[in-house]
Amino acid sequence: MKTTNNPKIDITWFNALPMTVTGDNVEEILIFLIDISIFKKSDRDLHAMLQKSESIILAKNDFFANLSHEIRNPINGIIGISELLINSTVNDFQLQYLNIIKESSLNLIYLINSILDYSKIEAGKIELVFEPFYPENLLNSLSMLFTQMCEKKGIGFYLSIDSSAYLQLVSDEIRIRQLLINIVGNAIRLTETGHVAVFYIN
């Protein structure tokens, strides 16, 4: 199989068939020609498109990484100041608001991590970290965020934890937190009247 050297046309020929034979001489030959220019062009276009897509993904991942770094610094500052104030002499009313500030900042950190996780999922690099944690503490910390969200919409929020529920679990707490924020957040967003309730039962 051969192709021409013309850069604009790619032609391959094959299976040359003798049509007229006189003795040992071939008088006529039938040659089949196929113009594969369009297939070559499609292949080059596809290759260029794949390279461009890979470049876009790498640029996006770099953007998210830089964005995460720039946002985390001031948020960590807010968390640090909140902890200092919580450990200082404050009344119960001030302590409640300081805890809300701290938990809201932590939840924002987790949301930023979820954005980075999305990029890792696309790159096939997501990793789960299984460690022991207390679901009750997780739910109580998230209830502050959900209560604020519900108050803004004029609806109620209720959290019920079964006393017989497991005290400690071994799983990826960050992923569970992200899952709860997404599910309960959507429930609050779609609820116009009434209340949103979260139950933790055994």
Side-chain angles (χ1 to χ4, degrees), residues 138-187:
L138 172 61
L139 290 170
N140 284 328
S141 67
L142 288 176
S143 67
M144 297 182 183
L145 172 65
F146 297 143
T147 298
Q148 285 180 298
M149 295 171 64
C150 287
E151 287 178 351
K152 289 181 179 180
K153 292 199 64 176
I155 59 177
F157 175 76
Y158 300 100
L159 171 63
S160 177
I161 299 178
D162 187 353
S163 59
S164 65
Y166 297 110
L167 296 179
Q168 191 177 62
L169 294 178
V170 177
S171 185
D172 194 318
E173 182 180 2
I174 292 178
R175 303 299 182 276
I176 293 178
R177 177 183 289 267
Q178 293 170 354
L179 183 64
L180 288 171
I181 290 176
N182 289 336
I183 293 176
V184 180
N186 285 335

Side-chain angles (χ1 to χ4, degrees), residues 2-13 33-41 44:
K2 299 180 179 179
T3 59
T4 65
N5 293 325
N6 190 329
K8 296 182 179 180
I9 300 177
D10 295 294
I11 297 178
T12 181
W13 63 80
L33 301 178
I34 296 179
D35 181 0
I36 61 171
S37 302
I38 186 172
F39 302 108
K40 289 286 188 178
K41 183 179 184 303
R44 290 191 295 267

Side-chain angles (χ1 to χ4, degrees), residues 49-119:
M49 187 182 301
L50 289 175
Q51 287 186 322
K52 184 177 180 180
S53 298
E54 292 176 355
S55 299
I56 292 175
I57 291 175
L58 290 175
K60 184 186 67 175
N61 290 343
D62 289 341
F63 170 76
F64 279 137
N66 292 331
L67 180 65
S68 172
H69 176 74
E70 295 299 327
I71 294 179
R72 282 177 179 176
N73 285 337
I75 295 178
N76 285 330
I78 296 173
I79 294 173
I81 294 299
S82 300
E83 290 177 343
L84 288 175
L85 293 174
I86 289 172
N87 294 327
S88 64
T89 303
V90 294
N91 57 46
D92 292 340
F93 183 78
Q94 292 172 328
L95 183 62
Q96 179 183 0
Y97 280 98
L98 287 171
N99 282 323
I100 291 175
I101 292 174
K102 178 183 176 181
E103 292 300 330
S104 297
S105 300
L106 288 172
N107 288 327
L108 185 55
I109 289 286
Y110 290 124
L111 288 175
I112 294 171
N113 289 337
S114 69
I115 294 175
L116 292 178
D117 286 343
Y118 179 77
S119 299

